[in-house]
Amino acid sequence: MKTKRYFRTRIIALFGVGLTVIIIMWKNVSNSKNQFDVFQKRETNLTVVGQTFGIQRFEDIACVKFQGRLGNLMMEYVFLYVIAKMKHLYPVVPENSELFQIFNIEKTTLTAIGKSAYSCAKLPVYKERWGLSYDEKLHAIPPYKGVQFDGYFQSWKYWIKYENEIRKLLRFKNPITQKAFTQMRDIIDKMKFEVNKESVIVSIHIRRGDYATEGHYKYGKLTPNETYYANAMQYFKTRHKNILFVVGSNDIDWSKKALAREKNVYYSTGNSPAEDIALLSLANHTIMSVGTFGWWIGWMAQGTSVFYKNIFRPQSDFAKEFRNNSIDDFIYPGWIPME
């Protein structure tokens, strides 16, 4: 229990009382390595699974057609976890899911309960009506009946009642966590950033890549320009005297040009997607671009999150993924819109 509480409060304390805290916390993570390794290596504990989801037999299962990259996979997994918990079903995750390599989650695969690889295909399919809005019909399915879901489930409303449990669930495995703390400590040293009670670190996620292509624009997906990042950074500069910005992006060259006039900016390179989320979520506050990757960074950081409010082009195909053209089901409560 002490380890869980340590992770829960680390962000609040990280920069409030100085760099020493970072070093101490990194050592604490390192000392708990054996405990985490044991957890990671053990086989699926069906007793724990049964208790978690309120099931005694493993005949009735819930499946999701996992699709997309890490941010999407996390949304899909959290939806599956909560719907299985609510409806007393066994949540099926693909045998080779990368989520098992990233988070300390139970390997609730079909193999673990001796079921055929084709078990999900035999189930009735419920498809979401909107990719980025809450579909209450999915929560209305009957309990104790096997089901398959098709969608992205990108709304916090599906699982907000279980949020504290989800935060414990989405703990990175020890090597990822350890690397993130080490990197943040090294970034502070390299940037000669003075840590005191007035210091804050703000992470910036800049999504370009596929979002900057003509095809995505025609579909209706928009990505911020330089003005948005300048406005978002100014928002924090007017509120804090000493700021270090840490940037993660799939287009570092564009990011460096866009933020060329800004001071105290560090550009993170060479990380895996999971390592980037772990690092950027250690910041006190967050500037998001678009997509689920930055969404999870803001949610994990638990500070002030600024988001780009022009997510979709009006009357586009992508706009149809938002019920009534509203982003409220997708954007977490309390985040600050900006353009």
Side-chain angles (χ1 to χ4, degrees):
M1 293 301 294
K2 291 182 179 179
T3 303
K4 290 183 179 179
R5 185 162 58 250
Y6 216 95
F7 276 85
R8 183 69 179 86
T9 60
R10 60 175 166 71
I11 299 170
I12 297 173
L14 189 56
F15 303 107
V17 292
L19 180 59
T20 305
V21 175
I22 299 174
I23 299 172
I24 293 172
M25 293 181 69
W26 179 83
K27 288 181 178 178
N28 191 295
V29 171
S30 180
N31 291 339
S32 64
K33 184 176 187 300
N34 291 336
Q35 176 184 350
F36 274 97
D37 286 347
V38 170
F39 183 87
Q40 292 167 17
K41 291 178 181 178
R42 64 176 171 77
E43 296 296 326
T44 305
N45 189 329
L46 293 183
T47 301
V48 172
V49 171
Q51 293 172 347
T52 300
F53 298 99
I55 51 180
Q56 295 180 343
R57 62 192 191 98
F58 299 90
E59 293 300 320
D60 300 319
I61 62 178
C63 307
V64 161
K65 294 181 179 179
F66 282 90
Q67 53 193 325
R69 290 179 285 192
L70 181 56
N72 287 344
L73 296 177
M74 292 168 66
M75 287 284 186
E76 292 153 8
Y77 176 75
V78 170
F79 168 81
L80 175 65
Y81 179 91
V82 169
I83 202 73
K85 191 177 183 71
M86 293 173 62
K87 304 302 178 179
H88 307 290
L89 302 170
Y90 177 85
V92 175
V93 181
E95 304 284 339
N96 60 347
S97 175
E98 65 180 279
L99 297 176
F100 295 138
Q101 307 303 317
I102 297 171
F103 300 107
N104 289 308
I105 59 177
E106 291 287 350
K107 295 191 69 173
T108 53
T109 63
L110 289 170
T111 299
I113 56 174
K115 279 191 170 290
S116 163
Y118 304 101
S119 298
C120 290
K122 301 175 183 179
L123 299 173
V125 178
Y126 287 78
K127 183 175 176 61
E128 67 179 2
R129 289 177 287 176
W130 310 277
L132 291 99
S133 291
Y134 173 66
D135 188 347
E136 64 277 1
K137 287 187 176 182
L138 300 186
H139 268 171
I141 66 166
Y144 302 105
K145 290 187 177 181
V147 64
Q148 183 176 189
F149 296 96
D150 184 7
Y152 289 94
F153 320 108
Q154 295 178 13
S155 174
W156 53 272
K157 288 186 176 181
Y158 285 118
W159 45 265
I160 191 65
K161 293 181 180 179
Y162 296 87
E163 184 172 19
N164 290 337
E165 187 171 344
I166 298 304
R167 289 195 182 280
K168 295 176 182 178
L169 188 70
L170 295 182
R171 292 200 321 263
F172 291 105
K173 287 197 170 185
N174 190 56
I176 297 174
T177 301
Q178 189 175 1
K179 181 176 180 179
F181 278 113
T182 301
Q183 284 185 323
M184 188 61 80
R185 182 191 60 183
D186 291 345
I187 290 168
I188 290 172
D189 289 344
K190 184 174 182 178
M191 297 297 292
K192 295 180 171 57
F193 183 63
E194 181 181 354
V195 179
N196 53 49
K197 292 183 178 180
E198 297 181 344
S199 302
V200 298
I201 291 183
V202 177
S203 64
I204 305 176
H205 176 244
I206 299 179
R207 172 80 177 269
R208 299 283 296 173
D210 55 345
Y211 260 75
T213 63
E214 184 179 356
H216 275 67
Y217 177 78
K218 287 182 177 180
Y219 181 62
K221 291 184 176 182
L222 301 177
T223 190
N225 57 20
E226 296 93 330
T227 302
Y228 163 72
Y229 294 107
N231 291 341
M233 294 171 81
Q234 185 62 31
Y235 173 87
F236 287 105
K237 286 189 286 186
T238 58
R239 288 162 173 78
H240 304 283
K241 294 182 179 180
N242 189 27
I243 304 178
L244 172 63
F245 295 99
V246 180
V247 178
S249 175
N250 58 356
D251 193 339
I252 288 294
D253 291 339
W254 185 93
S255 301
K256 289 181 176 180
K257 292 177 183 178
L259 308 183
R261 297 182 180 180
E262 301 290 345
K263 298 179 179 179
N264 291 341
V265 181
Y266 179 88
Y267 299 90
S268 173
T269 59
N271 279 341
S272 70
E275 291 167 345
D276 253 347
I277 293 180
L279 172 66
L280 298 177
S281 65
L282 288 180
N284 301 97
H285 309 296
T286 309
I287 296 172
M288 301 164 50
S289 52
V290 289
T292 54
F293 193 90
W295 195 102
W296 284 114
I297 293 170
W299 181 80
M300 287 183 168
Q302 299 187 69
T304 298
S305 289
V306 172
F307 70 92
Y308 184 57
K309 70 177 185 179
N310 301 316
I311 297 177
F312 59 85
R313 190 162 46 83
Q315 299 181 340
S316 64
D317 288 338
F318 188 46
K320 297 175 184 177
E321 297 293 335
F322 298 83
R323 176 161 56 178
N324 300 325
N325 291 320
S326 172
I327 62 174
D328 292 347
D329 287 1
F330 175 68
I331 295 300
Y332 188 80
W335 288 356
I336 300 170
M338 202 165 290
E339 59 184 350

